[in-house]
mmCIF file with all atom_site columns, all heavy atoms in Angstrom:
data_model
loop_
_atom_site.group_PDB
_atom_site.id
_atom_site.type_symbol
_atom_site.label_atom_id
_atom_site.label_alt_id
_atom_site.label_comp_id
_atom_site.label_asym_id
_atom_site.label_entity_id
_atom_site.label_seq_id
_atom_site.pdbx_PDB_ins_code
_atom_site.Cartn_x
_atom_site.Cartn_y
_atom_site.Cartn_z
_atom_site.occupancy
_atom_site.B_iso_or_equiv
_atom_site.pdbx_formal_charge
_atom_site.auth_seq_id
_atom_site.auth_comp_id
_atom_site.auth_asym_id
_atom_site.auth_atom_id
_atom_site.pdbx_PDB_model_num
ATOM 1  N N   . ALA J 1 242 ? 198.873 207.272 17.342 1.00 95.00 ? 256 ALA J N   1
ATOM 2  C CA  . ALA J 1 242 ? 197.996 207.012 16.193 1.00 95.00 ? 256 ALA J CA  1
ATOM 3  C C   . ALA J 1 242 ? 198.801 207.197 14.884 1.00 95.00 ? 256 ALA J C   1
ATOM 4  O O   . ALA J 1 242 ? 198.592 206.435 13.949 1.00 95.00 ? 256 ALA J O   1
ATOM 5  C CB  . ALA J 1 242 ? 196.806 207.945 16.194 1.00 95.00 ? 256 ALA J CB  1
ATOM 6  N N   . ALA J 1 243 ? 199.671 208.218 14.890 1.00 94.00 ? 257 ALA J N   1
ATOM 7  C CA  . ALA J 1 243 ? 200.508 208.436 13.682 1.00 94.00 ? 257 ALA J CA  1
ATOM 8  C C   . ALA J 1 243 ? 201.435 207.256 13.457 1.00 94.00 ? 257 ALA J C   1
ATOM 9  O O   . ALA J 1 243 ? 201.619 206.798 12.270 1.00 94.00 ? 257 ALA J O   1
ATOM 10 C CB  . ALA J 1 243 ? 201.255 209.774 13.788 1.00 94.00 ? 257 ALA J CB  1
ATOM 11 N N   . THR J 1 244 ? 202.039 206.751 14.507 1.00 94.00 ? 258 THR J N   1
ATOM 12 C CA  . THR J 1 244 ? 202.986 205.608 14.393 1.00 94.00 ? 258 THR J CA  1
ATOM 13 C C   . THR J 1 244 ? 202.196 204.382 13.855 1.00 94.00 ? 258 THR J C   1
ATOM 14 O O   . THR J 1 244 ? 202.672 203.710 12.953 1.00 94.00 ? 258 THR J O   1
ATOM 15 C CB  . THR J 1 244 ? 203.570 205.283 15.750 1.00 94.00 ? 258 THR J CB  1
ATOM 16 O OG1 . THR J 1 244 ? 204.291 206.419 16.245 1.00 94.00 ? 258 THR J OG1 1
ATOM 17 C CG2 . THR J 1 244 ? 204.468 204.025 15.665 1.00 94.00 ? 258 THR J CG2 1
ATOM 18 N N   . LEU J 1 245 ? 201.054 204.137 14.428 1.00 94.00 ? 259 LEU J N   1
ATOM 19 C CA  . LEU J 1 245 ? 200.257 203.010 13.993 1.00 94.00 ? 259 LEU J CA  1
ATOM 20 C C   . LEU J 1 245 ? 199.735 203.205 12.546 1.00 94.00 ? 259 LEU J C   1
ATOM 21 O O   . LEU J 1 245 ? 199.790 202.273 11.765 1.00 94.00 ? 259 LEU J O   1
ATOM 22 C CB  . LEU J 1 245 ? 199.038 202.764 14.924 1.00 94.00 ? 259 LEU J CB  1
ATOM 23 C CG  . LEU J 1 245 ? 198.153 201.541 14.689 1.00 94.00 ? 259 LEU J CG  1
ATOM 24 C CD1 . LEU J 1 245 ? 199.030 200.294 14.574 1.00 94.00 ? 259 LEU J CD1 1
ATOM 25 C CD2 . LEU J 1 245 ? 197.130 201.393 15.815 1.00 94.00 ? 259 LEU J CD2 1
ATOM 26 N N   . SER J 1 246 ? 199.380 204.442 12.207 1.00 94.00 ? 260 SER J N   1
ATOM 27 C CA  . SER J 1 246 ? 198.991 204.743 10.838 1.00 94.00 ? 260 SER J CA  1
ATOM 28 C C   . SER J 1 246 ? 200.092 204.368 9.869  1.00 94.00 ? 260 SER J C   1
ATOM 29 O O   . SER J 1 246 ? 199.931 203.798 8.809  1.00 94.00 ? 260 SER J O   1
ATOM 30 C CB  . SER J 1 246 ? 198.590 206.180 10.673 1.00 94.00 ? 260 SER J CB  1
ATOM 31 O OG  . SER J 1 246 ? 197.443 206.507 11.487 1.00 94.00 ? 260 SER J OG  1
ATOM 32 N N   . ALA J 1 247 ? 201.334 204.827 10.201 1.00 93.00 ? 261 ALA J N   1
ATOM 33 C CA  . ALA J 1 247 ? 202.471 204.560 9.361  1.00 93.00 ? 261 ALA J CA  1
ATOM 34 C C   . ALA J 1 247 ? 202.628 203.042 9.146  1.00 93.00 ? 261 ALA J C   1
ATOM 35 O O   . ALA J 1 247 ? 202.964 202.543 8.048  1.00 93.00 ? 261 ALA J O   1
ATOM 36 C CB  . ALA J 1 247 ? 203.750 205.167 9.943  1.00 93.00 ? 261 ALA J CB  1
ATOM 37 N N   . ARG J 1 248 ? 202.450 202.295 10.215 1.00 90.00 ? 262 ARG J N   1
ATOM 38 C CA  . ARG J 1 248 ? 202.555 200.818 10.143 1.00 90.00 ? 262 ARG J CA  1
ATOM 39 C C   . ARG J 1 248 ? 201.438 200.218 9.261  1.00 90.00 ? 262 ARG J C   1
ATOM 40 O O   . ARG J 1 248 ? 201.575 199.157 8.718  1.00 90.00 ? 262 ARG J O   1
ATOM 41 C CB  . ARG J 1 248 ? 202.514 200.179 11.470 1.00 90.00 ? 262 ARG J CB  1
ATOM 42 C CG  . ARG J 1 248 ? 203.720 200.577 12.343 1.00 90.00 ? 262 ARG J CG  1
ATOM 43 C CD  . ARG J 1 248 ? 204.035 199.579 13.368 1.00 90.00 ? 262 ARG J CD  1
ATOM 44 N NE  . ARG J 1 248 ? 205.092 199.986 14.238 1.00 90.00 ? 262 ARG J NE  1
ATOM 45 C CZ  . ARG J 1 248 ? 205.389 199.416 15.390 1.00 90.00 ? 262 ARG J CZ  1
ATOM 46 N NH1 . ARG J 1 248 ? 204.765 198.356 15.784 1.00 90.00 ? 262 ARG J NH1 1
ATOM 47 N NH2 . ARG J 1 248 ? 206.413 199.849 16.134 1.00 90.00 ? 262 ARG J NH2 1
ATOM 48 N N   . MET J 1 249 ? 200.320 200.953 9.183  1.00 89.00 ? 263 MET J N   1
ATOM 49 C CA  . MET J 1 249 ? 199.201 200.491 8.290  1.00 89.00 ? 263 MET J CA  1
ATOM 50 C C   . MET J 1 249 ? 199.353 201.022 6.893  1.00 89.00 ? 263 MET J C   1
ATOM 51 O O   . MET J 1 249 ? 198.479 200.879 6.065  1.00 89.00 ? 263 MET J O   1
ATOM 52 C CB  . MET J 1 249 ? 197.859 200.890 8.879  1.00 89.00 ? 263 MET J CB  1
ATOM 53 C CG  . MET J 1 249 ? 197.610 200.422 10.307 1.00 89.00 ? 263 MET J CG  1
ATOM 54 S SD  . MET J 1 249 ? 197.924 198.649 10.506 1.00 89.00 ? 263 MET J SD  1
ATOM 55 C CE  . MET J 1 249 ? 196.725 197.931 9.457  1.00 89.00 ? 263 MET J CE  1
ATOM 56 N N   . GLY J 1 250 ? 200.532 201.651 6.610  1.00 87.00 ? 264 GLY J N   1
ATOM 57 C CA  . GLY J 1 250 ? 200.810 202.079 5.265  1.00 87.00 ? 264 GLY J CA  1
ATOM 58 C C   . GLY J 1 250 ? 200.420 203.510 4.947  1.00 87.00 ? 264 GLY J C   1
ATOM 59 O O   . GLY J 1 250 ? 200.519 203.936 3.807  1.00 87.00 ? 264 GLY J O   1
ATOM 60 N N   . PHE J 1 251 ? 199.980 204.234 5.957  1.00 87.00 ? 265 PHE J N   1
ATOM 61 C CA  . PHE J 1 251 ? 199.576 205.646 5.726  1.00 87.00 ? 265 PHE J CA  1
ATOM 62 C C   . PHE J 1 251 ? 200.759 206.526 5.478  1.00 87.00 ? 265 PHE J C   1
ATOM 63 O O   . PHE J 1 251 ? 201.775 206.438 6.239  1.00 87.00 ? 265 PHE J O   1
ATOM 64 C CB  . PHE J 1 251 ? 198.804 206.171 6.913  1.00 87.00 ? 265 PHE J CB  1
ATOM 65 C CG  . PHE J 1 251 ? 198.328 207.609 6.760  1.00 87.00 ? 265 PHE J CG  1
ATOM 66 C CD1 . PHE J 1 251 ? 197.435 207.992 5.845  1.00 87.00 ? 265 PHE J CD1 1
ATOM 67 C CD2 . PHE J 1 251 ? 198.866 208.554 7.667  1.00 87.00 ? 265 PHE J CD2 1
ATOM 68 C CE1 . PHE J 1 251 ? 197.071 209.318 5.718  1.00 87.00 ? 265 PHE J CE1 1
ATOM 69 C CE2 . PHE J 1 251 ? 198.436 209.870 7.551  1.00 87.00 ? 265 PHE J CE2 1
ATOM 70 C CZ  . PHE J 1 251 ? 197.551 210.275 6.596  1.00 87.00 ? 265 PHE J CZ  1
ATOM 71 N N   . VAL J 1 252 ? 200.758 207.313 4.448  1.00 84.00 ? 266 VAL J N   1
ATOM 72 C CA  . VAL J 1 252 ? 201.829 208.296 4.245  1.00 84.00 ? 266 VAL J CA  1
ATOM 73 C C   . VAL J 1 252 ? 201.211 209.677 4.381  1.00 84.00 ? 266 VAL J C   1
ATOM 74 O O   . VAL J 1 252 ? 200.397 210.112 3.598  1.00 84.00 ? 266 VAL J O   1
ATOM 75 C CB  . VAL J 1 252 ? 202.392 208.147 2.752  1.00 84.00 ? 266 VAL J CB  1
ATOM 76 C CG1 . VAL J 1 252 ? 203.491 209.186 2.531  1.00 84.00 ? 266 VAL J CG1 1
ATOM 77 C CG2 . VAL J 1 252 ? 202.944 206.726 2.575  1.00 84.00 ? 266 VAL J CG2 1
#
Side-chain angles (χ1 to χ4, degrees):
Chain J
T258 300
L259 185 50
S260 297
R262 295 204 187 169
M263 303 312 294
F265 178 65
V266 179

